[in-house]
Short mmCIF file of all heavy atoms in Angstrom, two decimals:
data_model
loop_
_atom_site.label_atom_id
_atom_site.label_comp_id
_atom_site.label_asym_id
_atom_site.label_seq_id
_atom_site.Cartn_x
_atom_site.Cartn_y
_atom_site.Cartn_z
N GLY A 325 -16.39 -11.41 18.49
CA GLY A 325 -17.19 -11.65 19.68
C GLY A 325 -16.51 -11.68 21.02
O GLY A 325 -16.84 -10.91 21.88
N GLY A 326 -15.55 -12.52 21.23
CA GLY A 326 -15.00 -12.80 22.54
C GLY A 326 -14.33 -11.65 23.28
O GLY A 326 -14.01 -11.78 24.45
N PHE A 327 -14.10 -10.54 22.65
CA PHE A 327 -13.41 -9.42 23.29
C PHE A 327 -14.34 -8.44 23.98
O PHE A 327 -13.90 -7.61 24.75
CB PHE A 327 -12.59 -8.63 22.25
CG PHE A 327 -11.43 -9.40 21.68
CD1 PHE A 327 -11.51 -9.95 20.41
CD2 PHE A 327 -10.27 -9.57 22.40
CE1 PHE A 327 -10.45 -10.66 19.88
CE2 PHE A 327 -9.20 -10.27 21.87
CZ PHE A 327 -9.29 -10.82 20.60
N GLY A 328 -15.60 -8.48 23.65
CA GLY A 328 -16.52 -7.45 24.11
C GLY A 328 -16.56 -6.35 23.04
O GLY A 328 -15.58 -6.11 22.35
N SER A 329 -17.69 -5.69 22.91
CA SER A 329 -17.87 -4.77 21.78
C SER A 329 -16.88 -3.60 21.78
O SER A 329 -16.34 -3.24 20.74
CB SER A 329 -19.30 -4.25 21.74
OG SER A 329 -19.61 -3.55 22.93
N TYR A 330 -16.61 -3.00 22.93
CA TYR A 330 -15.70 -1.86 22.97
C TYR A 330 -14.27 -2.29 22.63
O TYR A 330 -13.60 -1.67 21.80
CB TYR A 330 -15.73 -1.18 24.35
CG TYR A 330 -14.72 -0.06 24.46
CD1 TYR A 330 -14.96 1.16 23.86
CD2 TYR A 330 -13.52 -0.25 25.15
CE1 TYR A 330 -14.04 2.19 23.94
CE2 TYR A 330 -12.59 0.78 25.24
CZ TYR A 330 -12.86 2.00 24.63
OH TYR A 330 -11.94 3.00 24.70
N VAL A 331 -13.80 -3.34 23.25
CA VAL A 331 -12.44 -3.82 23.01
C VAL A 331 -12.30 -4.31 21.57
O VAL A 331 -11.30 -4.03 20.91
CB VAL A 331 -12.06 -4.93 24.02
CG1 VAL A 331 -10.72 -5.56 23.70
CG2 VAL A 331 -12.05 -4.36 25.43
N GLU A 332 -13.30 -5.00 21.08
CA GLU A 332 -13.25 -5.47 19.69
C GLU A 332 -13.20 -4.29 18.72
O GLU A 332 -12.45 -4.31 17.75
CB GLU A 332 -14.45 -6.35 19.37
CG GLU A 332 -14.34 -6.99 18.00
CD GLU A 332 -15.41 -8.04 17.76
OE1 GLU A 332 -15.69 -8.82 18.68
OE2 GLU A 332 -15.94 -8.06 16.65
N ALA A 333 -13.98 -3.25 18.99
CA ALA A 333 -13.96 -2.06 18.13
C ALA A 333 -12.57 -1.42 18.12
O ALA A 333 -12.07 -1.00 17.07
CB ALA A 333 -15.01 -1.05 18.58
N ARG A 334 -11.95 -1.33 19.30
CA ARG A 334 -10.58 -0.77 19.37
C ARG A 334 -9.59 -1.64 18.60
O ARG A 334 -8.72 -1.13 17.92
CB ARG A 334 -10.13 -0.64 20.83
CG ARG A 334 -10.93 0.39 21.57
CD ARG A 334 -10.21 1.39 22.39
NE ARG A 334 -8.82 1.24 22.68
CZ ARG A 334 -7.89 2.11 22.27
NH1 ARG A 334 -8.23 3.15 21.55
NH2 ARG A 334 -6.64 1.94 22.61
N LEU A 335 -9.74 -2.94 18.72
CA LEU A 335 -8.83 -3.85 18.02
C LEU A 335 -9.02 -3.74 16.51
O LEU A 335 -8.04 -3.70 15.75
CB LEU A 335 -9.04 -5.29 18.49
CG LEU A 335 -8.11 -6.33 17.89
CD1 LEU A 335 -6.64 -5.96 18.08
CD2 LEU A 335 -8.39 -7.69 18.50
N LEU A 336 -10.25 -3.66 16.07
CA LEU A 336 -10.52 -3.50 14.63
C LEU A 336 -9.95 -2.18 14.12
O LEU A 336 -9.40 -2.12 13.01
CB LEU A 336 -12.01 -3.60 14.35
CG LEU A 336 -12.62 -4.99 14.54
CD1 LEU A 336 -14.14 -4.93 14.41
CD2 LEU A 336 -12.02 -5.99 13.56
N GLU A 337 -10.05 -1.14 14.91
CA GLU A 337 -9.46 0.15 14.53
C GLU A 337 -7.94 0.03 14.41
O GLU A 337 -7.33 0.52 13.46
CB GLU A 337 -9.83 1.21 15.56
CG GLU A 337 -9.29 2.59 15.23
CD GLU A 337 -9.66 3.62 16.28
OE1 GLU A 337 -10.68 3.46 16.96
OE2 GLU A 337 -8.89 4.59 16.42
N ARG A 338 -7.33 -0.65 15.38
CA ARG A 338 -5.87 -0.85 15.34
C ARG A 338 -5.46 -1.70 14.12
O ARG A 338 -4.44 -1.43 13.49
CB ARG A 338 -5.38 -1.51 16.62
CG ARG A 338 -5.32 -0.57 17.78
CD ARG A 338 -4.86 -1.31 19.03
NE ARG A 338 -4.64 -0.39 20.11
CZ ARG A 338 -3.47 -0.18 20.69
NH1 ARG A 338 -2.41 -0.85 20.31
NH2 ARG A 338 -3.36 0.69 21.66
N LEU A 339 -6.24 -2.71 13.82
CA LEU A 339 -5.97 -3.53 12.65
C LEU A 339 -6.02 -2.69 11.37
O LEU A 339 -5.12 -2.77 10.53
CB LEU A 339 -7.01 -4.66 12.54
CG LEU A 339 -6.67 -5.99 13.18
CD1 LEU A 339 -7.92 -6.80 13.42
CD2 LEU A 339 -5.70 -6.74 12.30
N SER A 340 -7.06 -1.90 11.24
CA SER A 340 -7.21 -1.05 10.06
C SER A 340 -6.07 -0.05 9.94
O SER A 340 -5.53 0.17 8.85
CB SER A 340 -8.54 -0.30 10.11
OG SER A 340 -9.61 -1.20 10.05
N THR A 341 -5.68 0.54 11.06
CA THR A 341 -4.61 1.53 11.06
C THR A 341 -3.28 0.90 10.68
O THR A 341 -2.53 1.45 9.87
CB THR A 341 -4.51 2.20 12.45
OG1 THR A 341 -5.76 2.84 12.73
CG2 THR A 341 -3.40 3.23 12.50
N ALA A 342 -2.98 -0.26 11.25
CA ALA A 342 -1.72 -0.95 10.94
C ALA A 342 -1.68 -1.36 9.47
O ALA A 342 -0.66 -1.21 8.79
CB ALA A 342 -1.54 -2.16 11.84
N PHE A 343 -2.79 -1.85 8.96
CA PHE A 343 -2.87 -2.26 7.56
C PHE A 343 -2.66 -1.06 6.65
O PHE A 343 -1.86 -1.11 5.70
CB PHE A 343 -4.23 -2.91 7.29
CG PHE A 343 -4.35 -3.54 5.94
CD1 PHE A 343 -3.85 -4.82 5.71
CD2 PHE A 343 -4.96 -2.86 4.90
CE1 PHE A 343 -3.97 -5.40 4.47
CE2 PHE A 343 -5.08 -3.44 3.65
CZ PHE A 343 -4.58 -4.71 3.43
N ALA A 344 -3.34 0.04 6.95
CA ALA A 344 -3.20 1.26 6.14
C ALA A 344 -1.76 1.79 6.18
O ALA A 344 -1.24 2.27 5.17
CB ALA A 344 -4.17 2.33 6.61
N GLU A 345 -1.11 1.68 7.33
CA GLU A 345 0.27 2.12 7.45
C GLU A 345 1.19 1.27 6.58
O GLU A 345 2.08 1.79 5.91
CB GLU A 345 0.73 2.06 8.91
CG GLU A 345 2.19 2.39 9.12
CD GLU A 345 2.61 3.78 8.68
OE1 GLU A 345 1.75 4.68 8.59
OE2 GLU A 345 3.81 3.98 8.44
N ARG A 346 0.98 -0.02 6.56
CA ARG A 346 1.79 -0.89 5.70
C ARG A 346 1.55 -0.59 4.22
O ARG A 346 2.48 -0.59 3.42
CB ARG A 346 1.49 -2.36 5.98
CG ARG A 346 2.09 -2.91 7.24
CD ARG A 346 3.62 -3.05 7.20
NE ARG A 346 4.09 -4.02 6.24
CZ ARG A 346 4.36 -5.29 6.50
NH1 ARG A 346 4.21 -5.75 7.73
NH2 ARG A 346 4.77 -6.10 5.56
N VAL A 347 0.31 -0.30 3.86
CA VAL A 347 0.01 0.08 2.47
C VAL A 347 0.75 1.38 2.14
O VAL A 347 1.37 1.49 1.08
CB VAL A 347 -1.51 0.24 2.24
CG1 VAL A 347 -1.80 0.92 0.93
CG2 VAL A 347 -2.19 -1.13 2.29
N ARG A 348 0.71 2.34 3.05
CA ARG A 348 1.40 3.62 2.83
C ARG A 348 2.90 3.40 2.66
O ARG A 348 3.53 3.97 1.77
CB ARG A 348 1.13 4.58 3.99
CG ARG A 348 1.65 6.00 3.71
CD ARG A 348 1.85 6.79 4.97
NE ARG A 348 2.82 6.22 5.88
CZ ARG A 348 4.15 6.22 5.71
NH1 ARG A 348 4.67 6.75 4.63
NH2 ARG A 348 4.95 5.69 6.61
N GLN A 349 3.48 2.55 3.49
CA GLN A 349 4.91 2.24 3.38
C GLN A 349 5.22 1.61 2.02
O GLN A 349 6.23 1.94 1.38
CB GLN A 349 5.34 1.28 4.50
CG GLN A 349 5.33 1.87 5.88
CD GLN A 349 5.51 0.82 6.96
OE1 GLN A 349 5.81 -0.35 6.70
NE2 GLN A 349 5.31 1.22 8.21
N TRP A 350 4.36 0.71 1.58
CA TRP A 350 4.55 0.04 0.30
C TRP A 350 4.49 1.06 -0.84
O TRP A 350 5.33 1.05 -1.75
CB TRP A 350 3.48 -1.03 0.12
CG TRP A 350 3.59 -1.80 -1.15
CD1 TRP A 350 4.34 -2.92 -1.38
CD2 TRP A 350 2.91 -1.51 -2.38
NE1 TRP A 350 4.17 -3.34 -2.68
CE2 TRP A 350 3.31 -2.50 -3.31
CE3 TRP A 350 2.02 -0.53 -2.79
CZ2 TRP A 350 2.83 -2.51 -4.63
CZ3 TRP A 350 1.55 -0.55 -4.09
CH2 TRP A 350 1.96 -1.54 -5.00
N GLN A 351 3.49 1.95 -0.78
CA GLN A 351 3.36 2.97 -1.82
C GLN A 351 4.56 3.90 -1.84
O GLN A 351 5.06 4.26 -2.91
CB GLN A 351 2.08 3.78 -1.61
CG GLN A 351 0.83 2.99 -1.90
CD GLN A 351 -0.43 3.75 -1.51
OE1 GLN A 351 -0.49 4.36 -0.44
NE2 GLN A 351 -1.43 3.70 -2.36
N ALA A 352 5.03 4.31 -0.68
CA ALA A 352 6.19 5.20 -0.60
C ALA A 352 7.43 4.52 -1.17
O ALA A 352 8.21 5.14 -1.92
CB ALA A 352 6.43 5.64 0.84
N ALA A 353 7.64 3.26 -0.84
CA ALA A 353 8.80 2.54 -1.35
C ALA A 353 8.74 2.41 -2.88
O ALA A 353 9.74 2.61 -3.57
CB ALA A 353 8.90 1.16 -0.70
N LEU A 354 7.56 2.10 -3.40
CA LEU A 354 7.41 1.99 -4.84
C LEU A 354 7.62 3.35 -5.51
O LEU A 354 8.31 3.45 -6.52
CB LEU A 354 6.04 1.42 -5.21
CG LEU A 354 5.78 1.28 -6.71
CD1 LEU A 354 6.80 0.35 -7.36
CD2 LEU A 354 4.36 0.76 -6.94
N GLY A 355 7.05 4.39 -4.93
CA GLY A 355 7.23 5.73 -5.48
C GLY A 355 8.70 6.14 -5.50
O GLY A 355 9.19 6.68 -6.50
N ASP A 356 9.41 5.86 -4.42
CA ASP A 356 10.84 6.17 -4.36
C ASP A 356 11.61 5.40 -5.44
O ASP A 356 12.51 5.94 -6.08
CB ASP A 356 11.42 5.81 -2.99
CG ASP A 356 10.95 6.74 -1.88
OD1 ASP A 356 10.36 7.81 -2.19
OD2 ASP A 356 11.14 6.38 -0.70
N ARG A 357 11.22 4.16 -5.63
CA ARG A 357 11.89 3.33 -6.64
C ARG A 357 11.62 3.85 -8.05
O ARG A 357 12.53 3.88 -8.89
CB ARG A 357 11.41 1.90 -6.50
CG ARG A 357 12.25 0.93 -7.24
CD ARG A 357 12.07 -0.45 -6.71
NE ARG A 357 12.83 -1.36 -7.55
CZ ARG A 357 12.59 -2.63 -7.64
NH1 ARG A 357 11.64 -3.17 -6.93
NH2 ARG A 357 13.32 -3.39 -8.42
N ILE A 358 10.39 4.29 -8.31
CA ILE A 358 10.06 4.82 -9.64
C ILE A 358 10.83 6.11 -9.89
O ILE A 358 11.35 6.33 -10.99
CB ILE A 358 8.54 5.07 -9.76
CG1 ILE A 358 7.78 3.74 -9.79
CG2 ILE A 358 8.22 5.88 -11.01
CD1 ILE A 358 6.27 3.89 -9.68
N VAL A 359 10.92 6.96 -8.88
CA VAL A 359 11.64 8.23 -9.04
C VAL A 359 13.14 7.97 -9.23
O VAL A 359 13.78 8.59 -10.07
CB VAL A 359 11.40 9.15 -7.82
CG1 VAL A 359 12.35 10.34 -7.82
CG2 VAL A 359 9.96 9.63 -7.81
N ALA A 360 13.70 7.04 -8.45
CA ALA A 360 15.13 6.75 -8.54
C ALA A 360 15.51 6.15 -9.89
O ALA A 360 16.57 6.47 -10.43
CB ALA A 360 15.54 5.82 -7.41
N GLN A 361 14.67 5.27 -10.39
CA GLN A 361 14.97 4.63 -11.66
C GLN A 361 13.67 4.33 -12.40
O GLN A 361 13.12 3.22 -12.30
CB GLN A 361 15.76 3.35 -11.45
CG GLN A 361 16.24 2.75 -12.74
CD GLN A 361 17.19 1.59 -12.49
OE1 GLN A 361 17.35 1.11 -11.38
NE2 GLN A 361 17.81 1.12 -13.56
N PRO A 362 13.15 5.33 -13.14
CA PRO A 362 11.89 5.12 -13.86
C PRO A 362 12.03 3.98 -14.88
O PRO A 362 13.09 3.82 -15.48
CB PRO A 362 11.66 6.45 -14.58
CG PRO A 362 12.59 7.43 -13.95
CD PRO A 362 13.72 6.65 -13.36
N PRO A 363 10.97 3.22 -15.05
CA PRO A 363 11.03 2.14 -16.04
C PRO A 363 11.18 2.74 -17.44
O PRO A 363 10.59 3.78 -17.74
CB PRO A 363 9.70 1.41 -15.87
CG PRO A 363 8.80 2.40 -15.21
CD PRO A 363 9.67 3.31 -14.40
N ASP A 364 11.97 2.08 -18.30
CA ASP A 364 12.21 2.63 -19.63
C ASP A 364 11.33 2.00 -20.70
O ASP A 364 11.55 2.22 -21.87
CB ASP A 364 13.69 2.50 -19.99
CG ASP A 364 14.17 1.06 -19.97
OD1 ASP A 364 13.36 0.15 -19.67
OD2 ASP A 364 15.36 0.84 -20.24
N GLY A 365 10.35 1.25 -20.29
CA GLY A 365 9.44 0.65 -21.26
C GLY A 365 8.46 -0.26 -20.56
O GLY A 365 8.53 -0.45 -19.34
N PRO A 366 7.53 -0.82 -21.31
CA PRO A 366 6.49 -1.65 -20.70
C PRO A 366 7.04 -2.91 -20.03
O PRO A 366 6.50 -3.36 -19.02
CB PRO A 366 5.56 -1.98 -21.86
CG PRO A 366 6.33 -1.73 -23.10
CD PRO A 366 7.36 -0.69 -22.76
N VAL A 367 8.11 -3.49 -20.56
CA VAL A 367 8.66 -4.70 -19.95
C VAL A 367 9.26 -4.36 -18.59
O VAL A 367 9.03 -5.07 -17.60
CB VAL A 367 9.71 -5.35 -20.89
CG1 VAL A 367 10.42 -6.50 -20.21
CG2 VAL A 367 9.04 -5.81 -22.18
N ALA A 368 10.01 -3.27 -18.52
CA ALA A 368 10.60 -2.85 -17.24
C ALA A 368 9.52 -2.47 -16.24
O ALA A 368 9.61 -2.78 -15.05
CB ALA A 368 11.56 -1.68 -17.45
N ALA A 369 8.47 -1.81 -16.71
CA ALA A 369 7.35 -1.43 -15.83
C ALA A 369 6.65 -2.67 -15.29
O ALA A 369 6.33 -2.73 -14.10
CB ALA A 369 6.37 -0.53 -16.58
N ALA A 370 6.44 -3.66 -16.15
CA ALA A 370 5.79 -4.90 -15.71
C ALA A 370 6.65 -5.64 -14.69
O ALA A 370 6.13 -6.17 -13.71
CB ALA A 370 5.50 -5.79 -16.92
N ALA A 371 7.95 -5.66 -14.91
CA ALA A 371 8.85 -6.34 -13.97
C ALA A 371 8.86 -5.63 -12.62
O ALA A 371 8.81 -6.27 -11.57
CB ALA A 371 10.27 -6.40 -14.55
#
Side-chain angles (χ1 to χ4, degrees):
F327 293 103
S329 61
Y330 176 76
V331 173
E332 187 171 319
R334 293 228 348 117
L335 183 54
L336 290 173
E337 181 181 333
R338 283 178 173 243
L339 267 160
S340 295
T341 300
F343 188 82
E345 175 61 22
R346 284 290 295 267
V347 167
R348 188 201 62 73
Q349 291 169 9
W350 181 87
Q351 289 172 317
L354 179 60
D356 290 347
R357 194 160 176 201
I358 291 170
V359 168
Q361 187 172 10
D364 59 0
V367 173

